[in-house]
Amino acid sequence: MIAKEEMSLKERMARMKVVEGSYAVAHAVKCCAPDVISAYPITPQTHIVEHLSQFVADGELDSEFLTVDSEFSAMSSLVGASAAGARCYSSTTSQGLALMWEVLYNAAGMRLPIVMTVANRALSAPLNIWNDQQDSVGARDSGWIQLYAEDVQEAADAIPQAYKIAEDPEILTPVMVCMDGFILTHVYEPVELMSAEEVERFLPPYRPEHILDPNNPKTFGAFADPSYFTELRYMQWDAHRRALNKIETVAREFAEQFGRWYGGLIDTYHADDAEVMIVTMGSVIGTIKDCIDMMRSEGLKVGLVKIRSYRPFPTEALRKALKDAEVVAVIEKDVTVGNEGALLTDLKAALYNTPARVPVIGFPAGLGGRDITVRDIRRVVDKAIAARDRGIEAEMEFLSLREDLL
Amino acid sequence: MEKLLAPGHRACAGCSMPTVINLVLDAAGPNTIVATPTGCIEVTTTPYPESAWRVPWIHSLFENAAAVASGIEAALNHFGKNHNVFVIAGDGSTLDIGMGCISGMFDRGHNVKYVCYDNEAYMNTGVQRSSSTPPCTSTTTTPSGKVSFGNPRPKKDMPAIAVAHRVPYVATASVAYPVDLRRKVKRAISIPGPAYIQVNAPCITGWSFEAGTTVEIARLAVETCLWPLYEYVNGELAGVKKIHVKRPVEDYLKAQGRYRHLFRMKGGDEMIRVLQQMADENARKFGLLYEGDVTCTSGE
Ligand SMILES: Cc1ncc(C[n+]2csc(CCOP(=O)(O)OP(=O)(O)O)c2C)c(N)n1
Ligand code: SF4
């Protein structure tokens, strides 16, 4: 752990407050002092915008808060505000994110460093308000950087980091901070709340080079014909490549100042000597860590790789972390209908051109808010060991399907 | 004064839209930011890496210019900056797909001046019907045919919708009346809050008229009373452009390919009568005629 300004445990305990996840995120946003906030209510994201509205109403936060007519307008208005030089924030989930789809690509293509929290929730139909990550995973190709949080503290701490990454002149790419809906947004946990002064020391003011300014008129959003389009996409792609380093650096800077480290692009748990490796992202990591502790006490060499940055995809980091594994199991809260889990495909692709031919199997789990239990994770590990010893039977399997309903 | 829209755009020869932009920008001046949705205006003025705009300009999507402008205005407010924020948009992006964003922008009362150049169809995608297309107009999605006189529906009354949102300044205008249009833009700027101006803007491609007659066509729309010029301030009708000699709608219809079928098809004359009634109704509703006014019945 890298913590220059490390405080004593007692000091830190004294700073801890038991707050709702949404409050912790809203508080972190407040500390980043966005100039314009624009969002539309949708469960389980609503509390975040309500807390922010209250901060504005109480004069604690000097932001323009736009009560827009839809998520589509929310993201569109931030495109305008960001182009006019404002630091911008939004949050949404599920159908709201889907309604933003067109604008997501637009914001990323116009290189506008907007930061948004996604309170992950399943997509309809059937209508379901509970947590899975189908929404943000479905937006993975929109050009946004995507960071996934394991707990409330991480979701809140990711906000200033997200701005620092997004606003870097080398990156200029919007960032989505994904946190599991309800599980993290509605839970009350002890959280160390940052202060505006601390964030000010961490996050430089946003000073964009290109803005809508009559004193220096510029054109935003021209159309590009085939002789230009590819290069503009390349530049976006290249910014993501640069972001691989930037995300690591910013995480380290954050740890140095705040004493809290969540990994850079990925993090690992008991990975060094692990024979069975689980790869996943989001709040299920807490359960998996407990489970690993239990299995380790039984002598099972199980380890974990947590994906913190899903886009850009941490190919190199994963290759390194998984090179000595004997089998890899992916648990993910999404599924590509017609293929397999998105993370499973991405991970297999990352490992393909390496000498290590470790078997990789995948498990869509926790869809529409179903609990992922210790027993489920145990089953995944059993199946992984079987795949290692006897060969892969099923590359992908829905975890704990209720056969009685099929 | 240097034109704020550089010469050399790529609109069709005879298009009225660049004239609308020039008139709006002349009146608004250089202290102006413009947001524009997808459409003819965008593709003809900003082929990357070129741009005809000498004011800051942004295009995002087909349906979100009002929301983008809302965000710009919010940011300017936050920074204490004072620039005019305009949307200049086609009728498709305004009356159809952009309606939600526009309604939201009106509702929130942003100080954004929204100018719709109304060429009465989706021109950029090849002349498809919009909800601003007048009845009996032949478009590529409402073509006239053996059993069709073209677009079957009335024109959506967007100015009335703006008035219903309590937009403090709402007006119609025409490229054929540049002084009137400039004055309306200036008046819109002088009144805080949102404004909506819908400008009749003939499209040579979609309307199919003789090159060089763009302004004449636009004037005929006004003189027939098919395009009444009026303004609403705080919900009250505050002014109309009176007509000295009211022309029959045939004069306007005959000059355009999109109405040619009305003069050829059986029953076309009945349709023309319906359009004439619409014009007469406009004249009555807005008080367009002077007392003892002349109504021409012949072509000239
Ligand atoms: C979501 C979406 N649907 C459809 C289109 C295709 N499209 C681009 S411009 C346009 C029509 C524009 O019509 P209008 O707003 O009247 O402007 P004009 O081209 O007539 O100037 C359409 C349908 C699009 N760009 N985006
Ligand atoms: S199609 Fe019509 S509106 Fe578009 S540039 Fe040509 S004349 Fe102008």
Side-chain angles (χ1 to χ4, degrees), chain A residues 194-208:
Chain A
M194 55 191 94
S195 72
E197 295 71 41
E198 284 171 325
V199 173
E200 223 169 277
R201 266 189 289 143
F202 173 75
L203 175 66
Y206 178 41
R207 299 215 192 290

Side-chain angles (χ1 to χ4, degrees), chain A residues 72 102, chain B residues 17 37-43 59 61-63 89-97 116-128 130 132 203:
Chain A
F72 178 81
E102 196 187 4
Chain B
M17 171 260 291
T38 315
C40 278
I41 182 173
E42 172 250 341
V43 299
H59 156 260
L61 298 166
F62 183 30
E63 61 275 42
D91 51 292
S93 58
T94 302
L95 282 80
D96 296 332
I97 201 165
C116 169
Y117 63 95
D118 184 4
N119 53 29
E120 303 190 325
Y122 303 158
M123 297 315 179
N124 186 49
T125 38
V127 198
Q128 295 86 17
S130 80
S132 199
C203 159

Side-chain angles (χ1 to χ4, degrees), chain A residues 29-325:
Chain A
V29 172
K30 180 174 83 173
C31 293
C32 296
D35 304 302
V36 179
I37 300 170
S38 186
Y40 195 80
I42 177 168
T43 305
Q45 158 269 22
T46 313
H47 290 184
I48 298 176
V49 284
E50 286 175 346
H51 287 307
L52 285 169
S53 311
Q54 193 65 52
F55 292 148
V56 173
D58 290 338
E60 290 175 33
L61 172 58
D62 177 23
S63 297
E64 304 293 317
F65 190 103
L66 299 185
T67 51
V68 279
D69 42 281
S70 72
E71 289 86 351
F72 178 81
S73 279
M75 191 44 66
S76 299
S77 60
L78 294 188
V79 163
S82 184
R87 178 175 285 169
C88 295
Y89 178 80
S90 190
S91 62
T92 192
T93 174
S94 184
Q95 311 304 130
L97 187 67
L99 189 57
M100 279 182 189
W101 201 84
E102 196 187 4
V103 202
L104 291 180
Y105 276 74
N106 205 252
M110 292 172 84
R111 308 295 295 276
L112 300 170
I114 299 162
V115 168
M116 173 161 71
T117 301
V118 173
N120 286 110
R121 163 183 151 182
L123 274 165
S124 170
L127 181 66
N128 173 297
I129 60 166
W130 293 275
N131 164 247
D132 67 33
Q133 294 164 350
Q134 191 73 50
D135 50 359
S136 56
V137 166
R140 68 169 187 184
D141 300 333
S142 61
W144 285 59
I145 289 170
Q146 289 195 346
L147 305 178
Y148 286 76
E150 174 184 339
D151 58 24
V152 168
Q153 185 79 60
E154 185 176 352
D157 288 354
I159 298 291
Q161 295 187 52
Y163 278 112
K164 200 165 186 172
I165 298 160
E167 292 171 0
D168 186 297
E170 292 282 296
I171 310 289
L172 285 183
T173 297
V175 178
M176 225 177 256
V177 177
C178 305
M179 65 192 294
D180 284 332
F182 287 119
I183 301 171
L184 297 186
T185 54
H186 285 54
V187 74
Y188 278 73
E189 267 180 12
V191 176
E192 225 177 295
L193 296 175
M194 55 191 94
S195 72
E197 295 71 41
E198 284 171 325
V199 173
E200 223 169 277
R201 266 189 289 143
F202 173 75
L203 175 66
Y206 178 41
R207 299 215 192 290
E209 198 187 325
H210 305 286
I211 62 165
L212 295 165
D213 176 11
N215 298 314
N216 183 11
K218 287 180 177 157
T219 289
F220 280 64
F223 85 95
D225 72 17
S227 43
Y228 293 98
F229 190 84
T230 308
E231 284 67 28
L232 295 166
R233 266 290 177 275
Y234 171 83
M235 286 185 241
Q236 255 185 287
W237 179 86
D238 196 45
H240 264 252
R241 201 168 55 172
R242 279 194 294 273
L244 287 167
N245 264 333
K246 189 72 195 174
I247 292 166
E248 289 270 356
T249 312
V250 168
R252 222 168 285 126
E253 286 167 0
F254 189 88
E256 273 172 34
Q257 188 186 326
F258 291 87
R260 296 192 290 273
W261 169 257
Y262 309 97
L265 297 163
I266 63 169
D267 199 14
T268 57
Y269 188 70
H270 284 297
D272 287 347
D273 64 339
E275 292 164 5
V276 179
M277 279 286 234
I278 300 174
V279 179
T280 194
M281 48 198 196
S283 64
V284 70
I285 285 163
T287 315
I288 296 177
K289 280 179 177 169
D290 284 350
C291 204
I292 287 178
D293 290 345
M294 270 152 52
M295 291 186 279
R296 283 266 165 185
S297 69
E298 295 163 24
L300 270 177
K301 288 191 172 167
V302 184
L304 167 80
V305 173
K306 145 181 162 175
I307 305 266
R308 187 163 169 266
S309 166
Y310 182 46
R311 282 295 178 274
F313 196 64
T315 301
E316 281 310 318
L318 287 168
R319 283 178 177 174
K320 224 169 114 198
L322 299 173
K323 72 177 181 343
D324 297 326

Side-chain angles (χ1 to χ4, degrees), chain B residues 187-244:
Chain B
R187 191 153 186 200
I189 292 171
S190 75
I191 299 174
Y196 180 72
I197 303 177
Q198 191 163 323
V199 188
N200 182 248
C203 159
I204 189 158
T205 309
W207 298 16
S208 176
F209 49 79
E210 212 171 300
T213 61
T214 311
V215 172
E216 253 168 70
I217 298 281
R219 191 175 304 121
L220 275 170
V222 174
E223 288 175 348
T224 53
C225 298
L226 282 171
W227 189 271
L229 294 176
Y230 55 81
E231 51 194 329
Y232 278 85
V233 177
N234 295 325
E236 299 291 334
L237 188 60
V240 295
K241 176 122 203 119
K242 297 252 187 192
I243 309 296
H244 284 283

